[in-house]
C-alpha cells in the first residue's frame, strides 16, 4: 500500500491545493523547492544540528513502570514534552524556518491553538532574527495564557482572532488571509499536517524524526524496533504523522489516532472529525470535515485548544479510509482523568492534547506483554487553569 | 449567447459589476437587491453564496456572510429565490462563493440549477485552474461517489472528465482570478481556459476597501492591458468610489465593487434609493 503523497498532492482522494489564485505563487514556490531543500546535505546538517543542540533531541523513550502496572501492559512514553518549548511542534518550526530563509522570506506568520506552535514559531523567529506574527483565536488566548505571554516575551506579535468561535480554525483562516495580503516577503509556518499541498507532506517529513528515533530506541529497550501499538492524539495530526511515519508500511504495528470528543460524540460539542465528518474542503485541503448539510463548517469543541479543529490532515483521512490507522476518541473528562493519572503515577504533567492519547490506555484492552508507545506530544504547564478547575471539581487538593 | 459575452460585445468599457451577499441584509433581500441594481444601471451582478469560512474575504464580506447564514441562507433557498429572476432581469448574473458548499450540494445539480435559474457564470476563488481542467485528477467523480448519496442519484458521475465539460454543458462561464504575482505563463493559461472575462485582483489582497491605486498597481494594470488577452478583464478587490472605478476603467473593461456596496446594504433604510445613489456616485453622474 502506498501512503505517500502523489505528484498532485493527493493521498488517495484526499489532499490537493484548493487555494485562491493569490496564494498560488507562494504555494508553487514551496512545492517546487521543499523536497530539494529537505534533501540538500547542507540543510540536513543544519536541521539535525539544531534538533540535537537546540531542541534537545533525541527525545527520550521512557518506560513508564507504574503506569504500565496500572494498565497491565507495557507502556513507553515518547517524551516530546521534553523538547525545547515543551512539545513536538518545534521539530516542524525549526525545519520550516530554515526553508523560509532559503526561500528568501523575512517575515513569518503562524496560527496557533494551544499556543505550542505559536511559541515554537516565535522561538525560531527569535533565533533567526525574523519578524513573527501569530494568529490565535480569542478563546484560546484566554485559555492558554501562559503561552501568549511566552510568545510576547519572544518578540512575536500575537493577534487575537474574533471570527467564528474564536479558536484554531479561525486563527488559520486569518493566517491565510494575512498571507494573501503579504505575498512577497512572508512565509506561513503552518503548525500541523493540514492546509494545501505541500504542507501536509512537508510537516509530516519534518515530524518524522519522532518515529525514526522510536525505531532504534525500541530496539535498545525491547530488542525489537517494532512496538505492538503507537498511540497519538490528533488535532490536525502532526505529532501522530511523525510518530506513525516510519511504521506506515509495517502492518504488524497497530497505529491508533485519538481525536477529542469534547463533551461526548453526540453532545453537539465535540471535535471528533472522523466520526462526525464527511469529505469536504477546509483550509485548501480536501479531507474529512465536520460540516452541516449545506457544507458550512461546524464549530468544534474540545477542552483542549490543540485538538479543537473541525478538519484533519488529508493523510490521516486516507489512512482512515484504507484502514491503516485505527481512530479512537476521548472526552474532556477521560483526558483530564488520564492527565492526573500520569501525573500522580509518573510525576509527569502532560499537555491536555497528549492526555487524550493517554486516555486510550484505559479505553482499549491491551495484552500484558504488548508494547504500547504513547506519543507524549507536550507538557502541561500551559493547561494549569484547566487542571486546577478539575482539581477543584474533584476535590483533589 | 451567454449574457456575459453579450455585455462585453455591446459595451466595451466602463462596465460596473456589483457583488453582494445573498440573504443579506435580510433573508428575503436577495431578489430585491438584484432588481434594484439592475434598475440603477449596474451592468452585471455577482451574487455571493455565503460560506462560514470565506478565506479570501476581508471583514465586511465575512460579516455579511455570517449574517446571511444566520438569516437561514443556503444554496437550496438561493435557487428557490432565483427561480423567476429571468422574468424580470436580463443583465448577466454570476454566483460567487467557495467550493465546499457547492460540492456538498453536488456539482452537477448545482450546474443544472444554475442553468435553470439563468445564471451566466460562476466564480469560485478556491477552485484552482488545474482542478477545473481535470489536470489534478478529476475531483468530480469521486466526490459524487462519497458525498452525494443523500442529495440525488449518483450514477454516471464518472462519465464527467472534468468541470470544464460540465460547466460548458450548462453554458456557464467559470471566471478565474489573476493577481499581480501571477506569472505571465500562468496568465496565458488562465486566459485560454477562460470564457467571459478575466477577474483581475487589484492587488494581492483579501476583499475590502482601500484608497486610491498605488503606482505599483497602475503598472500592473498596464502590464496586463499590454498582454492583449483574448478575454476582456475586470478589475476587482479594493474598488470603492468613482475615483478608483474610473481609474480601473482606463486599464480594463470595467471594475467590480463588493465590500463598499455591502457596506451600503448594511446601513440602508431605503434600499432602492440608496442603491440608485450608490451606482450614480460610482459612475460619477452629477
Ligand atoms: C502538545 C500538543 N499536542 C498535540 C497537538 C495537536 O496538534 P497535532 O495534531 O498537529 O499534533 C498540539 C497542538 O497545539 C499540542 O500543543
Amino acid at each position: 500500500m502506498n501512503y505517500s503523497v502523489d505528484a498532485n498532492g493527493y493521498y488517495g482522494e484526499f489532499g490537493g491545493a484548493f487555494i485562491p489564485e493569490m496564494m498560488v505563487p507562494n504555494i508553487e514556490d514551496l512545492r517546487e523547492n521543499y523536497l530539494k531543500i529537505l534533501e540538500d546535505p547542507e540543510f540536513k546538517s543544519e536541521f539535525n544540528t539544531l534538533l540535537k543542540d537546540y531542541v534537545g533531541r533525541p527525545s527520550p523513550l521512557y518506560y513508564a513502570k507504574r503506569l504500565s502496572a496500572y494498565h497491565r501492559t507495557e507502556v513507553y512514553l515518547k517524551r516530546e514534552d521534553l523538547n525545547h518549548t515543551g512539545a513536538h511542534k518545534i521539530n516542524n518550526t525549526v525545519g520550516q524556518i530554515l526553508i523560509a530563509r532559503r526561500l528568501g522570506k523575512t517575515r513569518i506568520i503562524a496560527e496557533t491553538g494551544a499556543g505550542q506552535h505559536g511559541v515554537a514559531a516565535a522561538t525560531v523567529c527569535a533565533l533567526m532574527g525574523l519578524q513573527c506574527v501569530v494568529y490565535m483565536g480569542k478563546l484560546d488566548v484566554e485559555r492558554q495564557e501562559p503561552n501568549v505571554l511566552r510568545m510576547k516575551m519572544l518578540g512575536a506579535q500575537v493577534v487575537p482572532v474574533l471570527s467564528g468561535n474564536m479558536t484554531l480554525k479561525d486563527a488559520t483562516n486569518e493566517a491565510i488571509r494575512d498571507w494573501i495580503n503579504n505575498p512577497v516577503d512572508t512565509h506561513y509556518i503552518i503548525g500541523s499536517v493540514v492546509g494545501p499541498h505541500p504542507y501536509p507532506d512537508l510537516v509530516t517529513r519534518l515530524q518524522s524524526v519522532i518515529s525514526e528515533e522510536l525505531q532504534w530506541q525500541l530496539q535498545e529497550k525491547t530488542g525489537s524496533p517494532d512496538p505492538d501499538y503507537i498511540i497519538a492524539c490528533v488535532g490536525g495530526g502532526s505529532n501522530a504523522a511523525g510518530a506513525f511515519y516510519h511504521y506506515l508500511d509495517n502492518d504488524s504495528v497497530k497505529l491508533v489516532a485519538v481525536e477529542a470528543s469534547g463533551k461526548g460524540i453526540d453532545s453537539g460539542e465535540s471535535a471528533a472529525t472522523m466520526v462526525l465528518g464527511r469529505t469536504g474542503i477546509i483550509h485548501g485541503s480536501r479531507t474529512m470535515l465536520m460540516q452541516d448539510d449545506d457544507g458550512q463548517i461546524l464549530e468544534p469543541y474540545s477542552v483542549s485548544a490543540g485538538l479543537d479543529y473541525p478538519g484533519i490532515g488529508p493523510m490521516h483521512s486516507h489512512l482512515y479510509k484504507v484502514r491503516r490507522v485505527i481512530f479512537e476518541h476521548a472526552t474532556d473528562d477521560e483526558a483530564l482523568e488520564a492527565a492526573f493519572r500520569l501525573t500522580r503515577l509518573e510525576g509527569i504533567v502532560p499537555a491536555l492534547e497528549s492526555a487524550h492519547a493517554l486516555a486510550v490506555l484505559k479505553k482499549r484492552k491491551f495484552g500484558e506483554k504488548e508494547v504500547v508507545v504513547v506519543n507524549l506530544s507536550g507538557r502541561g504547564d500551559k493547561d494549569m487553569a484547566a487542571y486546577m478547575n478539575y482539581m477543584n471539581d474533584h476535590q483533589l487538593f | 449567447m451567454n449574457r456575459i459575452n453579450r455585455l462585453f460585445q455591446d459595451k466595451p468599457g466602463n462596465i460596473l459589476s456589483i457583488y453582494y451577499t445573498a440573504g443579506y441584509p435580510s433573508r428575503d433581500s436577495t431578489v430585491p437587491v438584484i432588481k434594484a441594481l439592475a434598475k440603477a444601471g449596474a451592468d452585471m451582478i455577482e451574487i455571493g453564496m455565503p460560506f462560514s469560512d470565506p478565506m479570501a474575504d476581508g471583514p465586511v464580506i465575512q460579516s455579511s456572510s455570517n449574517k446571511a447564514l444566520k438569516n437561514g441562507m443556503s444554496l437550496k433557498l438561493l435557487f428557490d429565490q432565483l427561480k423567476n429572476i429571468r422574468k424580470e432581469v436580463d443583465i448577466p448574473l454570476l454566483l460567487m462563493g467557495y467550493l465546499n458548499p457547492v460540492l456538498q450540494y453536488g456539482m452537477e445539480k448545482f450546474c443544472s440549477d444554475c442553468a435553470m435559474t439563468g445564471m451566466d457564470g460562476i466564480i469560485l476563488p478556491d477552485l484552482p485552474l488545474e482542478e477545473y481542467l481535470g489536470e489534478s485528477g478529476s475531483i468530480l467523480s469521486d466526490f459524487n461517489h462519497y458525498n452525494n448519496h443523500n442529495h440525488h442519484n449518483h450514477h454516471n458521475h464518472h462519465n464527467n472528465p472534468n468541470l470544464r465539460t460540465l460547466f460548458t454543458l450548462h453554458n456557464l462561464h467559470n471566471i478565474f482570478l489573476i493577481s499581480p504575482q501571477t506569472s505571465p505563463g500562468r496568465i496565458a493559461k488562465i486566459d485560454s481556459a477562460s470564457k467571459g472575462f478575466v477577474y483581475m485582483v487589484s492587488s494581492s489582497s483579501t476583499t475590502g476597501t482601500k484608497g486610491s491605486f498605488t503606482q505599483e498597481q497602475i503598472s500592473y494594470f498596464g502590464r496586463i492591458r499590454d498582454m492583449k488577452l483574448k478575454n476582456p478583464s475586470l478589475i476587482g478587490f479594493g474598488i470603492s468610489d468613482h475615483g478608483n472605478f474610473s481609474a480601473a476603467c482606463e486599464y480594463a473593461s470595467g471594475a467590480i465593487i463588493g465590500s463598499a456596496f455591502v457596506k451600503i446594504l448594511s446601513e440602508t433604510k431605503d434600499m432602492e434609493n440608496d442603491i440608485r445613489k450608490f451606482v450614480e456616485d460610482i459612475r460619477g453622474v452629477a
Side-chain angles (χ1 to χ4, degrees):
Chain A
M1 184 66 85
N2 184 0
Y3 303 112
S4 0
V5 75
D6 71 19
N8 294 314
Y10 278 89
Y11 301 88
E13 73 192 88
F14 300 106
F18 296 88
I19 50 170
E21 195 58 38
M22 295 80 85
M23 277 169 80
V24 167
N26 272 320
I27 290 294
E28 271 188 350
D29 191 27
L30 195 60
R31 192 186 65 214
E32 278 160 19
N33 288 296
Y34 83 108
L35 289 176
K36 273 184 245 163
I37 296 175
L38 290 180
E39 277 150 27
D40 172 28
E42 214 172 291
F43 169 89
K44 278 189 185 166
S45 132
E46 211 177 337
F47 182 52
N48 290 332
T49 304
L50 280 171
L51 286 185
K52 179 163 172 280
D53 298 339
Y54 187 71
V55 174
R57 301 205 72 93
S59 70
L61 182 68
Y62 168 69
Y63 173 61
K65 194 168 164 210
R66 297 187 69 208
L67 194 67
S68 294
Y70 179 90
H71 289 296
R72 294 173 193 281
T73 189
E74 299 286 284
V75 181
Y76 288 81
L77 302 177
K78 180 60 172 160
R79 299 291 307 275
E80 293 299 301
D81 62 315
L82 292 178
N83 292 338
H84 179 43
T85 70
H88 67 292
K89 298 286 183 186
I90 189 106
N91 304 328
N92 171 42
T93 61
V94 166
Q96 283 204 47
I97 200 87
L98 296 176
I99 291 172
R101 265 203 337 198
R102 280 165 172 76
L103 296 176
K105 305 293 187 179
T106 54
R107 178 177 177 270
I108 298 297
I109 55 172
E111 86 297 339
T112 197
Q116 287 301 130
H117 174 60
V119 166
T123 297
V124 295
C125 286
L127 180 68
M128 301 290 167
L130 298 183
Q131 188 195 345
C132 183
V133 180
V134 180
Y135 291 93
M136 188 171 191
K138 188 166 160 287
L139 175 67
D140 293 339
V141 168
E142 284 155 16
R143 63 179 165 169
Q144 306 277 227
E145 195 199 31
N147 277 343
V148 176
L149 301 177
R150 289 166 81 196
M151 286 184 265
K152 289 185 174 165
M153 180 162 175
L154 286 158
Q157 183 195 348
V158 181
V159 183
V161 175
L162 299 173
S163 54
N165 66 347
M166 302 185 268
T167 59
L168 182 54
K169 162 178 79 75
D170 314 295
T172 308
N173 286 336
E174 218 44 45
I176 289 173
R177 291 184 186 117
D178 180 309
W179 210 18
I180 288 173
N181 283 285
N182 294 282
V184 180
D185 62 344
T186 298
H187 175 70
Y188 177 19
I189 301 192
I190 216 163
S192 191
V193 289
V194 300
H197 177 66
Y199 277 112
D201 187 46
L202 168 62
V203 179
T204 297
R205 285 168 188 262
L206 293 172
Q207 289 291 0
S208 69
V209 63
I210 299 172
S211 49
E212 195 181 307
E213 290 171 3
L214 269 180
Q215 291 179 308
W216 60 261
Q217 289 173 320
L218 281 163
Q219 176 72 47
E220 263 178 33
K221 292 214 153 56
T222 69
S224 163
D226 303 337
D228 294 290
Y229 286 89
I230 301 174
I231 307 178
C233 66
V234 180
S238 67
N239 87 87
F244 296 166
Y245 188 78
H246 290 282
Y247 292 101
L248 285 173
D249 290 323
N250 183 345
D251 285 337
S252 71
V253 181
K254 296 183 219 39
L255 306 173
V256 182
V258 188
E259 295 189 296
S261 48
K263 295 184 177 164
I265 286 290
D266 301 318
S267 66
E269 293 182 73
S270 172
T273 306
M274 288 307 187
V275 185
L276 300 170
R278 52 181 211 286
T279 308
I281 289 175
I282 181 171
H283 298 141
S285 180
R286 180 169 186 239
T287 190
M288 294 292 277
L289 172 62
M290 289 168 56
Q291 55 187 317
D292 68 14
D293 289 345
D294 296 326
Q296 307 297 341
I297 298 176
L298 294 173
E299 300 296 348
Y301 164 81
S302 165
V303 66
S304 147
L307 306 184
D308 200 350
Y309 185 69
I312 185 167
M315 181 180 85
H316 290 295
S317 292
H318 180 59
L319 293 171
Y320 171 76
K321 270 266 151 76
V322 301
R323 307 216 163 115
R324 176 63 188 98
V325 170
I326 303 160
F327 274 78
E328 284 275 4
H329 46 82
T331 63
D332 290 358
D333 286 342
E334 288 165 340
L336 284 157
E337 187 194 313
F340 275 84
R341 188 176 307 118
L342 179 72
T343 305
R344 297 290 166 97
L345 289 176
E346 299 285 352
I348 297 170
V349 179
L352 262 173
E353 291 76 19
S354 323
H356 286 73
L358 291 164
V360 166
L361 290 171
K362 187 157 181 184
K363 295 189 72 162
R364 264 187 104 89
K365 192 87 199 88
F366 300 96
E368 268 185 53
K369 297 249 154 54
E370 286 188 314
V371 172
V372 181
V373 173
V374 177
N375 196 36
L376 200 68
S377 57
R379 68 185 190 216
D381 311 35
K382 68 187 179 59
D383 296 312
M384 288 323 289
Y387 289 153
M388 287 305 105
N389 284 340
Y390 185 83
M391 284 185 77
N392 285 328
D393 292 350
H394 294 76
Q395 288 161 3
L396 289 175
F397 284 104
Chain B
M1 185 194 272
N2 185 297
R3 292 178 194 84
I4 299 172
N5 301 102
R6 188 189 65 194
L7 170 65
F8 284 93
Q9 200 174 69
D10 294 352
K11 189 171 175 183
N14 292 317
I15 288 174
L16 173 62
S17 181
I18 301 277
Y19 166 94
Y20 79 108
T21 306
Y24 182 82
S26 67
R27 179 185 157 118
D28 297 322
S29 42
T30 307
V31 169
V33 171
I34 296 174
K35 288 203 261 181
L37 276 169
K39 196 167 156 198
D43 295 306
M44 184 159 83
I45 301 172
E46 292 162 26
I47 305 164
M49 305 176 279
F51 181 48
S52 54
D53 294 79
M55 68 174 156
D57 285 299
V60 172
I61 293 173
Q62 284 176 48
S63 126
S64 65
S65 301
N66 274 335
K67 180 79 195 306
L69 291 174
K70 286 208 181 90
N71 290 341
M73 211 47 217
S74 68
L75 269 179
K76 193 166 171 297
L77 177 60
L78 177 61
F79 284 122
D80 198 50
Q81 291 173 336
L82 294 176
K83 214 166 38 195
N84 296 315
I85 196 70
R86 283 306 176 197
K87 293 186 179 141
E88 306 182 78
V89 174
D90 197 40
I91 60 174
L93 298 175
L94 294 85
L95 295 189
M96 178 166 190
Y98 292 83
L99 195 49
N100 196 54
V102 173
L103 289 171
Q104 303 309 323
Y105 191 79
M107 259 299 171
E108 298 196 326
K109 184 166 158 54
F110 175 77
C111 288
S112 71
D113 285 0
C114 280
M116 214 120 73
T117 49
M119 297 299 110
D120 302 291
I122 310 293
I123 310 176
L124 296 167
D126 59 345
L127 170 63
L129 176 65
E130 293 75 12
E131 295 284 349
Y132 174 75
L133 297 176
E135 289 175 356
S136 315
S138 173
I139 54 167
L140 191 60
S141 48
D142 51 15
F143 237 109
N144 283 301
H145 275 296
Y146 282 104
N147 282 303
N148 291 335
H149 315 289
N150 44 4
H151 289 299
H152 66 137
N153 57 329
H154 57 281
H155 58 275
N156 280 342
H157 289 290
H158 49 273
N159 290 341
N160 296 296
N162 58 46
L163 293 179
R164 192 215 311 242
T165 314
L166 181 62
F167 281 41
T168 307
L169 187 70
H170 294 282
N171 195 21
L172 292 166
H173 290 353
N174 188 55
I175 306 301
F176 292 99
L177 276 52
I178 61 171
S179 89
Q181 273 69 41
T182 310
S183 67
R186 193 168 167 87
I187 292 174
K189 190 172 174 187
I190 286 172
D191 185 38
S192 99
S194 294
K195 280 184 218 152
F197 67 97
V198 169
Y199 193 135
M200 275 175 75
V201 176
S202 70
S203 65
S204 185
S205 74
T206 44
T207 55
T209 55
K210 296 193 185 60
S212 51
F213 296 129
T214 61
Q215 201 46 52
E216 209 181 326
Q217 287 175 289
I218 296 289
S219 72
Y220 151 65
F221 300 159
R223 174 164 62 83
I224 303 302
R225 182 190 53 194
D226 296 345
M227 284 182 79
K228 305 215 183 313
L229 303 181
K230 102 177 149 61
N231 291 281
S233 56
L234 296 179
I235 298 177
F237 285 40
I239 315 257
S240 57
D241 57 21
H242 174 63
N244 46 27
F245 174 72
S246 39
C249 288
E250 284 177 35
Y251 295 90
S253 302
I256 301 160
I257 298 185
S259 297
F261 178 71
V262 171
K263 250 187 236 163
I264 296 292
L265 288 183
S266 70
E267 291 157 6
T268 182
K269 302 237 152 40
D270 177 357
M271 198 167 78
E272 199 177 321
N273 207 29
D274 286 344
I275 288 178
R276 184 183 48 80
K277 271 199 300 209
F278 181 83
V279 172
E280 281 176 8
D281 286 350
I282 295 296
R283 291 215 188 268
V285 180

